[in-house]
Amino acid sequence: MKFFGYSLDPTRLPRHVAFIMDGNGRWARQRFLPRNEGHKKGYEVLKTIIEFNENLKIPYISAYAFSTENWQRPPEEVEFLMTMAGRVIDEYVDSMREKNIRFCYTGTFDGLSPELIRKFQHAIESTRKGKYVFNIVFNYGGKREIVDAAKKLVVAIQNNQFSLENLSENSFEQFLYSPDIPPVDLLIRTSGEQRISNFLLWQSAYAELYFSRKLWPDFRPKDFCAALFDYQKRKRRFGKIDPKE
Ligand code: FPP
């Protein structure tokens, strides 16, 4: 398949692509607009990328929309991101269901308003039969997820629901927030920053990293294809040696 001049091998597309959508604030500042205008535009871009995936059919797309650290932003910005999340769900849930998208949530509900929690739960429930996963990573921190998993493990041991002898890297995953979501194959971060920022730490252990200089609101399906093209040129060895070399 070919998009925007990039030839992509449909049999070697990543199964899970995760986005760190960085640069909304800078995009707005460059235009002398309030930061929230950058977030609004960022949402439009996210929608475009998810819709473009109808061509690619990548089964899992994750997007970092709010981190546990983001609570430290000015209260108006936090409020705006929360309200926008609710609005986005109201606006987009029916269309997700029609487009065969399953909405998943990775993060905690701690500190969210009961109304927003209800909206997330409704979106999860009403799209549960969808085939292509859109996983919103919200109110999430990677270290916190691992600590929460450790706590759940201890409780399961105390309640005789899990035995310590059975603990392995694989079995530990059942205690993570979204155990049915596979590891990240390709992690894309925009805006030129080259950091993981506490995002899906466990799930990205062997992810290929791709950094785009574009600010998220300027990111387009063409840039997504450029990242996939780059990904397909790489050799993933997972710590082993390539037997052909
Ligand atoms: C980082 O850019 C972006 C965020 C903290 C929010 C990302 C949210 C969206 C793209 C919209 C989709 C959201 C929902 C709720 C569905 P930044 O603000 O850190 O940008 P900067 O580094 O230029 O300041």
Side-chain angles (χ1 to χ4, degrees):
M1 51 167 83
K2 197 165 184 172
F3 299 101
F4 311 105
Y6 294 105
S7 291
L8 299 173
D9 176 352
T11 66
R12 290 181 50 246
L13 285 170
R15 187 150 72 117
H16 184 181
V17 178
F19 290 96
I20 301 181
M21 309 180 287
D22 198 9
N24 294 345
R26 274 163 286 168
W27 183 90
R29 205 170 53 231
Q30 283 174 0
R31 286 160 182 76
F32 305 101
L33 294 168
R35 291 178 56 82
N36 291 343
E37 290 300 316
H39 295 316
K40 264 198 232 167
K41 179 72 184 167
Y43 164 56
E44 293 302 322
V45 167
L46 176 59
K47 220 159 94 173
T48 312
I49 294 294
I50 295 170
E51 284 168 6
F52 181 73
N53 189 43
E54 286 168 35
N55 301 300
L56 302 166
K57 303 195 186 326
I58 291 171
Y60 295 86
I61 303 270
S62 292
Y64 206 0
F66 193 85
S67 74
T68 42
E69 291 75 24
N70 287 154
W71 288 107
Q72 292 159 38
R73 295 196 171 195
E76 314 79 66
E77 186 169 341
V78 171
E79 176 61 30
F80 182 85
L81 285 166
M82 294 290 157
T83 310
M84 191 171 79
R87 243 195 352 245
V88 161
I89 293 168
D90 285 342
E91 183 191 302
Y92 202 34
V93 67
D94 290 337
S95 147
M96 284 195 282
R97 199 173 37 243
E98 281 155 24
K99 290 176 193 280
N100 208 10
I101 294 171
R102 175 156 73 96
F103 180 83
C104 290
Y105 181 98
T106 297
T108 99
F109 285 151
D110 293 355
L112 304 189
S113 73
E115 194 194 351
L116 184 56
I117 297 173
R118 263 198 308 278
K119 286 182 193 223
F120 279 133
Q121 283 169 334
H122 168 71
I124 294 164
E125 180 54 28
S126 68
T127 63
R128 70 181 192 287
K129 297 205 177 106
K131 184 163 173 210
Y132 302 101
V133 168
F134 168 55
N135 176 38
I136 191 164
V137 184
F138 197 89
N139 201 16
Y140 174 90
K143 287 187 171 186
R144 164 88 184 268
E145 177 181 31
I146 295 169
V147 171
D148 282 350
K151 285 186 190 163
K152 283 190 229 162
L153 166 71
V154 170
V155 172
I157 291 173
Q158 283 168 344
N159 294 338
N160 292 320
Q161 288 157 339
F162 191 86
S163 153
L164 194 53
E165 291 121 59
N166 295 331
L167 183 59
S168 65
E169 289 175 16
N170 269 342
S171 68
F172 185 74
E173 289 182 352
Q174 67 188 280
F175 301 105
L176 295 173
Y177 295 140
S178 302
D180 56 336
I181 295 190
V184 176
D185 297 304
L186 174 62
L187 169 54
I188 300 177
R189 182 173 190 146
T190 54
S191 91
E193 306 289 353
Q194 303 193 356
R195 285 189 293 277
I196 307 273
S197 298
N198 206 11
F199 180 58
L200 299 179
L201 291 181
W202 180 284
Q203 300 82 345
S204 299
Y206 273 102
E208 293 294 328
L209 307 181
Y210 182 88
F211 300 105
S212 165
R213 297 185 72 81
K214 292 258 179 99
L215 302 176
W216 177 255
D218 291 326
F219 194 80
R220 297 288 173 270
K222 179 175 187 262
D223 303 304
F224 187 16
C225 290
L228 293 167
F229 184 73
D230 194 83
Y231 170 85
Q232 292 198 329
K233 286 192 300 196
R234 301 188 192 180
K235 288 206 174 80
R236 302 186 76 201
R237 289 187 289 270
F238 300 97
K240 297 184 280 240
I241 313 174
D242 188 338
K244 292 194 284 291
E245 284 181 349

